[in-house]
Amino acid sequence: DSFLAFARTRQLRDAPARLAQVVDLPDGYRFRWAAVSQRGYYPSQADKANQDSFAARLRRPAVPPPLRTRRPSARARSQVHIDMNGTGKHWFAVYDGHGPVGEKCSSFACEHVAKEFSKALKDGADARTALSTSHVKTNKMLAANSSIDDQQSGTTAITLYMDGRDLLISNVGDSRVMLGSVGDDGGLVTKSISTDQTPYRRDERERVKKYGARVMTADQIDGVEPIHENWDCALGDEIDDGGDPPRIWAQDQEYPGTAFTRSIGDSLAESLGVIAEPEIDGHKLGPKDRVLIAASDGIFEFITTRSCIETALLYSDPLEACKALVGESYKLWIEREDRTDDITIILGFVEPPGLGDHTKPASTGHADVSTESIPVELPGGDAGGAPSPAKGGDKKSKTRRGSLNASAK
């Protein structure tokens, strides 16, 4: 599996990594996309790494593209690979690491899931099977890697695989793919193509219970909240403002405390049903589709799917849309918590024939991956700087994602 282009960047502490490009799709369609990853603000961990990673594999260009990386690193891993098993096939993925070495887990998955997917396709597997086996195999490889302790660390994995206009979306964990389209009445229609795998879902709760897991909030574990399972919040359509989320626990023991039901890594939680098997959904891009977003939960913790799409459609430049959503998410985190999550987004505008400027040639694969500072409006004045304390209102004090005992995120 040869890579004509590869970029691995580690962001400077507060400089978002960004990438932007245009690719052709069949039938006269285009996909204009960009990506931004912003390190979180952690007052007690000034040098905490950005534990998110993102990846893109694109069609092979006629000429190998130039590739730039700037500045030494700050731990966001981004990969751009050219040649995704044939012309018109593209791979976009976001990995949201958590736990003491979450950045190593997301970086490992960022590198290996796509490789294993390509190998499975070349061995004759169909795309759905290849997506499934690539995540499961990567999970086993991570567990066997002696240099990464994944007992209480791991990563989500959300993948958008394009085969022409046919999309396959695989999901492990609580990252998300969102779609905005024009409805029959001309209005905006929004939906999540993937479904978050968390204990908010009744089916996922019942599944992990079969492995022997308990599902409780930290307050229920501490005895300050009554035992109940009134958690059927429609994440994406609703924002959970109820405090600490339901988590996965061993019987009679207070670990691992994960707020998701699937992940790559988290080997202690695997025996409790926290598995790496993805759920896979499909969609065919049509003339009414306008925007696709793949993002870590740092984007949508306090923003609904509809609001994400509405914000994106205020812009014509996908990079500007990414920056706006990152900035708004960061602001809301600071208003409601005393820190922010790492925030990563890949956003693309879908342009059917006749929509957008198709007179200009599409990119031949030029990848500009950089840790150069970009202007994202964040609290505190300077882009990406330490935010000012929010005025008024109580902030939640509990970890909302990841492994509680590991102070994951």
Side-chain angles (χ1 to χ4, degrees):
D1 192 10
S2 62
F3 303 126
L4 295 183
F6 168 81
R8 180 174 182 173
T9 67
R10 294 185 181 277
Q11 291 168 250
L12 287 178
R13 175 179 161 189
D14 295 312
R18 58 103 173 113
L19 184 156
Q21 193 167 41
V22 183
V23 293
D24 282 321
L25 298 176
D27 307 315
Y29 282 69
R30 277 189 173 182
F31 189 60
R32 292 190 301 114
W33 64 279
V36 169
S37 184
Q38 169 67 48
R39 177 192 177 275
Y41 169 66
Y42 303 93
S44 62
Q45 297 174 281
D47 296 322
K48 187 175 186 292
N50 184 344
Q51 295 189 314
D52 286 1
S53 300
F54 65 89
R57 280 174 168 242
L58 310 172
R59 64 176 174 80
R60 182 186 294 273
V63 178
L67 183 67
R68 287 190 298 153
T69 59
R70 297 179 186 167
R71 301 180 180 175
S73 76
R75 288 233 146 95
R77 180 184 176 94
S78 54
Q79 290 189 337
V80 180
H81 300 298
I82 306 304
D83 188 14
M84 189 58 194
N85 303 298
T87 300
K89 298 181 181 181
H90 312 290
W91 172 281
F92 302 93
V94 172
Y95 304 91
D96 183 356
H98 52 262
V101 292
E103 71 280 4
K104 293 183 179 180
C105 295
S106 70
S107 178
F108 187 92
C110 186
E111 178 178 353
H112 289 285
V113 173
K115 285 184 178 180
E116 295 305 318
F117 176 74
S118 294
K119 290 178 183 177
L121 288 183
K122 291 176 181 177
D123 289 340
D126 63 84
R128 283 180 176 267
T129 301
L131 278 170
S132 181
T133 58
S134 62
H135 288 82
V136 173
K137 186 171 181 179
T138 297
N139 183 61
K140 292 179 180 178
M141 293 166 61
L142 178 59
N145 189 313
S146 60
S147 66
I148 303 175
D149 181 359
D150 75 336
Q151 291 188 84
Q152 295 189 77
S153 297
T155 183
T156 71
I158 189 77
T159 302
L160 177 63
Y161 175 62
M162 289 183 170
D163 185 353
R165 290 165 51 200
D166 293 312
L167 310 183
L168 284 179
I169 296 90
S170 71
N171 183 39
V172 176
D174 58 2
S175 295
R176 190 180 300 165
V177 167
M178 298 166 270
L179 173 69
S181 308
V182 178
D184 293 338
D185 61 356
L188 178 63
V189 177
T190 66
K191 68 176 182 179
S192 297
I193 303 180
S194 62
T195 306
D196 300 2
Q197 295 151 352
T198 75
Y200 285 103
R201 279 176 50 181
R202 186 182 300 272
D203 60 336
E204 285 291 280
R205 292 201 300 269
E206 295 306 314
R207 184 182 62 78
V208 297
K209 286 179 184 178
K210 292 179 181 178
Y211 286 80
R214 292 184 297 164
V215 181
M216 304 171 70
T217 67
D219 284 342
Q220 289 175 325
I221 288 286
D222 294 339
V224 298
E225 181 183 356
I227 301 299
H228 66 82
E229 289 196 6
N230 301 325
W231 303 309
D232 294 322
C233 173
L235 294 179
D237 297 328
E238 305 173 54
I239 299 299
D240 168 39
D241 284 322
D244 192 69
R247 299 177 179 274
I248 308 300
W249 308 93
Q251 293 291 337
D252 303 320
Q253 298 188 63
E254 295 186 9
Y255 79 87
T258 61
F260 43 79
T261 55
R262 305 192 190 205
S263 74
I264 294 173
D266 295 290
S267 57
L268 280 181
E270 192 166 358
S271 64
L272 300 172
V274 181
I275 59 175
E277 179 74 29
E279 293 181 311
I280 300 174
D281 296 280
H283 178 78
K284 187 178 183 69
L285 291 176
K288 295 186 177 182
D289 294 329
R290 292 295 180 267
V291 62
L292 277 166
I293 298 174
S296 65
D297 66 338
I299 283 285
F300 52 80
E301 182 75 17
F302 303 113
I303 306 178
T304 63
T305 295
R306 184 173 187 85
S307 292
C308 285
I309 297 298
E310 288 176 338
T311 299
L313 291 173
L314 294 174
Y315 298 85
S316 59
D317 182 342
L319 183 58
E320 293 303 314
C322 285
K323 288 155 57 178
L325 278 165
V326 168
E328 178 64 14
S329 300
Y330 196 108
K331 178 176 73 71
L332 290 172
W333 272 96
I334 291 300
E335 289 176 354
R336 302 195 185 199
E337 307 271 352
D338 55 7
R339 53 103 190 181
T340 79
D341 200 355
D342 302 324
I343 301 171
T344 299
I345 182 171
I346 300 174
L347 183 152
F349 292 124
V350 181
E351 294 182 347
L355 183 67
D357 184 0
H358 285 222
T359 62
K360 297 180 180 179
S363 166
T364 58
H366 176 78
D368 184 3
V369 182
S370 172
T371 56
E372 181 182 14
S373 182
I374 57 176
V376 178
E377 293 184 7
L378 304 176
D382 296 334
S388 303
K391 297 180 180 179
D394 295 330
K395 294 185 178 183
K396 298 180 179 65
S397 60
K398 290 188 179 296
T399 304
R400 294 179 58 88
R401 289 288 186 264
S403 172
L404 188 67
N405 288 352
S407 299
K409 295 177 67 176

